[in-house]
Amino acid sequence: MLVTTIFLSRTATQKTFDMTLEAIASLQKSISEENLEIILVESNPDYLSSGFLYPAQVKVIVPNEPFNFHRFLNIGIQQAQGDYLALCNNDVLFHPQWMNEILKVSQAHPEIVSFSPSGQPMEQPERDYQLGYKVMQQVKGWCLVVKKEVFKTIGLLDETFSFYYADNDYAMTLKYYNLKHALVYRSYVEHLEKPSTFNRTQNMNVRAAMQQKYSLPDYLAQEQYLYVFGSESNMNDFLKFHNKWGSPKVLYRKNRIADQLIKYKLGFLNRLFLKLKF
C-alpha cells in the first residue's frame, strides 16, 4: 500500500529547513521506504540556489507562481502515485504506527475515505475512531489522510482559498458529497505550531479599516466575529467561505439538517441544499 505524503514548506531559513527535515525523518521511521512517496512543494522561489538540500528520496517541486495553499497541495496531488495521500504541514512529528492505525480503520470500515490522526496520544481510547466534520476536532487541517479516489469525486481542492478557511471548505466539501471523515484516536501525529494570539485592539483597527474598504456583511460588526479581522487576508478568505457556503447562522442550520440526513443514511441529499442561498 503506497502512501504519498505531501508537505508544504517555505525553506528560507535554517530553522525551517531543520524543522522540515525532522518531520521527514520521523515520517521515514514510521513507514517503510517501499511503501512511501514523499513530495515537498516549496514556496521559496530561490530554493534551488539557497544551499538547502532535502534527502534524495524527497521529490521537491518549486512552482513558478505565488503561494496558494490549495493550489500548492493540488500540484502535489496531481503528482502523487499513492493509494493514500497525506496532506501535511511541515511542523509535525510522526509517531510510530500512526499510518498503520489509520489503515486498520480504513480496512475495517471502507466507507470512511478521509482521516485525521489525533494530535495527542491516547493510551486506551474507548473506541478506534470518531466520525465528524468539525474543524480542529475531527478534521485536523495540519494532517489529512485521504484515499486518492476521493479526488475523482470532489475534484481538486478549491483554489479560491489561498490559506485561511481551507480546512473548513474541505470539511464542507466532504459533507456535501456525503463522504465520511474520521479522527483516528490511536494514530498520533504531533503538531508543533505555537497557538496564535488574539489582539483585540489590532483586530478592531483592521475591522475599522476594512469597513471603509469593503462592503461587509452586517453581522461582522458584532463582537463575536472580531476574530475574523486578524488580518486582511484572513478576512478575505472568510468572505470567500461565506459566499460559497453561507453566513455562520445559515451554515449552522444547514449543518444541523445535513447531520440528521447523514444519521439516517440520507446524506446523498446534502448536495441538494448545502450550497443553496437561504
Side-chain angles (χ1 to χ4, degrees):
M1 186 69 69
L2 183 64
V3 177
T4 298
T5 302
I6 301 168
F7 290 105
L8 299 187
S9 182
R10 182 175 178 82
T11 310
T13 66
Q14 187 68 43
K15 182 179 179 181
T16 300
F17 179 64
D18 291 342
M19 179 176 65
T20 308
L21 275 181
E22 191 174 14
I24 292 169
S26 67
L27 175 66
Q28 291 175 317
K29 289 178 182 177
S30 69
I31 301 176
S32 60
E33 183 177 348
E34 63 270 18
N35 294 325
L36 180 63
E37 177 186 39
I38 304 175
I39 296 174
L40 189 146
V41 186
E42 175 59 55
S43 59
N44 176 8
D46 300 319
Y47 166 78
L48 295 177
S49 60
S50 67
F52 297 115
L53 184 64
Y54 288 107
Q57 301 91 333
V58 179
K59 181 178 182 179
V60 180
I61 301 172
V62 187
N64 185 26
E65 55 188 280
F67 176 76
N68 173 296
F69 186 75
H70 270 173
R71 170 62 181 154
F72 277 38
L73 281 177
N74 283 339
I75 289 171
I77 289 167
Q78 290 173 307
Q79 295 287 323
Q81 300 299 311
D83 308 289
Y84 289 80
L85 310 187
L87 313 179
C88 299
N89 288 13
N90 61 333
D91 57 345
V92 295
L93 291 175
F94 299 89
H95 286 240
Q97 302 301 312
W98 75 277
M99 189 63 201
N100 283 342
E101 294 297 336
I102 287 177
L103 289 175
K104 286 180 186 177
V105 173
S106 176
Q107 290 162 4
H109 305 277
E111 72 279 7
I112 304 175
V113 296
S114 177
F115 312 84
S116 285
S118 173
Q120 56 187 8
M122 301 184 70
E123 293 183 3
Q124 294 181 329
E126 294 182 359
R127 46 185 172 166
D128 295 332
Y129 65 94
Q130 180 187 52
L131 294 175
Y133 303 93
K134 291 183 179 179
V135 173
M136 295 188 292
Q137 294 187 35
Q138 294 92 18
V139 179
K140 310 285 188 178
W142 39 267
C143 186
L144 296 167
V145 178
V146 191
K147 289 184 179 180
K148 191 176 184 180
E149 64 195 49
V150 165
F151 296 102
K152 295 180 181 178
T153 300
I154 71 172
L156 292 173
L157 301 171
D158 186 348
E159 296 173 12
T160 301
F161 297 92
S162 57
F163 187 74
Y164 300 100
Y165 300 95
D167 307 344
N168 305 69
D169 182 68
Y170 175 75
M172 287 301 302
T173 299
L174 290 181
K175 185 176 287 191
Y176 177 80
Y177 284 102
N178 193 31
L179 298 173
K180 295 185 185 301
H181 175 90
L183 174 70
V184 180
Y185 288 122
R186 291 185 175 86
S187 173
Y188 178 39
V189 176
E190 186 178 357
H191 189 206
L192 305 177
E193 182 185 40
K194 295 180 180 179
S196 58
T197 57
F198 178 78
N199 187 318
R200 185 176 184 277
T201 300
Q202 176 181 302
N203 285 28
M204 289 182 68
N205 291 338
V206 172
R207 181 170 67 184
M210 295 304 99
Q211 285 173 330
Q212 298 294 322
K213 187 175 180 180
Y214 296 92
S215 176
L216 300 177
D218 292 341
Y219 68 84
L220 287 183
Q222 300 175 35
E223 183 75 12
Q224 69 192 85
Y225 295 108
L226 193 57
Y227 71 90
V228 171
F229 299 93
S231 66
E232 184 171 357
S233 57
N234 183 85
M235 184 209 69
N236 276 325
D237 280 353
F238 177 88
L239 292 178
K240 294 170 188 175
F241 187 76
H242 164 102
N243 290 333
K244 182 174 181 179
W245 297 106
S247 69
K249 185 176 180 179
V250 167
L251 198 52
Y252 173 76
R253 294 172 179 169
K254 286 182 177 181
N255 275 316
R256 288 193 65 181
I257 298 171
D259 290 341
Q260 287 299 306
L261 290 174
I262 291 170
K263 179 179 178 180
Y264 293 105
K265 303 187 184 305
L266 296 171
F268 61 90
L269 295 174
N270 286 343
R271 294 179 68 175
L272 299 179
F273 79 95
L274 273 179
K275 287 187 180 179
L276 291 177
K277 305 297 183 181
F278 285 16

